[in-house]
Amino acid sequence: MNSDNYKFILADDHKGNKALVVIKGELSTKLVSNAKTITDTRFNAVADQLKKIIDSASVIEKDGEHSCN
């Protein structure tokens, strides 16, 4: 797969809960059902950076006027 086959998704439920998802390939129900918590310590530095990003990020509606936060 090439580098153009990545998708980045942010979900926000207006209660402070957020999900940041990186998808390589196609999103499917099977892919989601296989999701697990990452325990590989090589991910720790990236996880710290992602925490800062998701804490300050919000979902913008398509009209660009309203944030979900």
Side-chain angles (χ1 to χ4, degrees):
M1 293 188 177
N2 64 35
S3 62
D4 295 333
N5 206 15
Y6 285 85
K7 294 177 191 82
F8 299 86
I9 298 171
L10 177 65
D12 182 336
D13 71 359
H14 303 282
K15 296 178 184 178
N17 300 307
K18 297 180 181 184
L20 177 62
V21 181
V22 179
I23 301 165
K24 180 178 179 182
E26 295 299 319
L27 177 60
S28 68
T29 304
K30 184 175 182 179
L31 181 65
V32 172
S33 68
N34 286 328
K36 304 284 187 272
T37 301
I38 298 171
T39 58
D40 187 333
T41 57
R42 295 176 295 176
F43 189 72
N44 290 350
V46 172
D48 288 339
Q49 291 177 327
L50 290 173
K51 287 177 193 177
K52 292 175 185 174
I53 292 169
I54 198 169
D55 285 345
S56 64
S58 63
V59 176
I60 306 283
E61 293 180 4
K62 288 186 185 230
D63 65 7
E65 295 293 323
H66 309 331
S67 157
C68 285
N69 281 344

